[in-house]
Amino acid sequence: MRIVSLCVDGIQQAAERGLYQWLDGQDADIICLQDLRALEYELDHKQFHPDGYFAYFFDSGVENTGGVAIYTRRQPKALIHGLGFASGVDMEGRYLQVDFERISVGSLLAPRASDDPQSQPKKDKFFDDLQAHLNKISRKRRDFIFCGDWAMAHRDLDVQNPDSHHQAPGFLAHERQWMDQLFNQLEYTDAFRQVNRDPDEHTWWPSGEIGRGDGWRVDHQVVSNALSSRIEYGAAYKTKAFSSHLPLILDYDLEL
């Protein structure tokens, strides 16, 4: 099973840059997109509904902001919009999940901290609630694959010139500690790092242009530990840019 995930910085712009033509040649079973910057009714055009896929969208409710999508070759048994946090802070980002017999796949757009002094506390609350959610579902008899822009890099290996960014949102000490807990106490696996340890593998450039400035690896496919031995291949596609992020391609020894 192949899963392709990408934060598109606007699905219409990415389409103009050839995203769907590229996806057509990837033979992906599931495609997870984030930051659509379009409302669902704006995506009625045929190009946003590629042949052979069931298409699902969860927009932000506000024009030109956020939103996520999942394309899947197999129709899911259930569809979940949002994470259902009692605080409501999950709507600071967006999350869409498709459930199959024993596996669930989610497309996640985490909130990003900005110049607004309230944005970092809101982001921290989102991840506090997400941690509790991930701990809760770890007791379910199913496995999970969470794809998306997590708005955080984990280790020095994942950021160019890390010493220059230790005070930057997305690479703060408590954010890196959160990811330590995700992969240790909560028993999830960074699927890409399971099969690719290269130090120059980045997926996002804050400058907005791939290769310009320092690259970060903030796009992840995070999987239940039970799936860690099923990860066969992982790569970031670097040949053509569709946004300020690179597509992340993971192959799993799995069938839905």
Side-chain angles (χ1 to χ4, degrees), residues 8 26 86 97 115 150 165 182 231:
V8 296
Q26 293 307 302
Q97 178 178 304
D115 293 335
W150 291 66
H165 300 292
L182 174 67
I231 306 163

Side-chain angles (χ1 to χ4, degrees), residues 109-156:
L109 177 64
R112 190 175 294 279
S114 66
D115 293 335
D116 180 352
Q118 294 301 313
S119 64
Q120 186 66 51
K122 287 180 179 178
K123 178 183 178 183
D124 292 342
K125 176 59 177 170
F126 175 91
F127 279 102
D128 285 345
D129 287 358
L130 180 60
Q131 185 180 63
H133 174 78
L134 294 175
N135 185 51
K136 179 181 177 180
I137 64 174
S138 67
R139 297 188 288 271
K140 292 190 174 183
R141 293 182 177 179
R142 63 173 42 248
D143 295 314
F144 293 85
I145 301 175
F146 301 101
C147 308
D149 177 2
W150 291 66
M152 293 192 296
H154 184 201
R155 297 176 177 166
D156 285 0

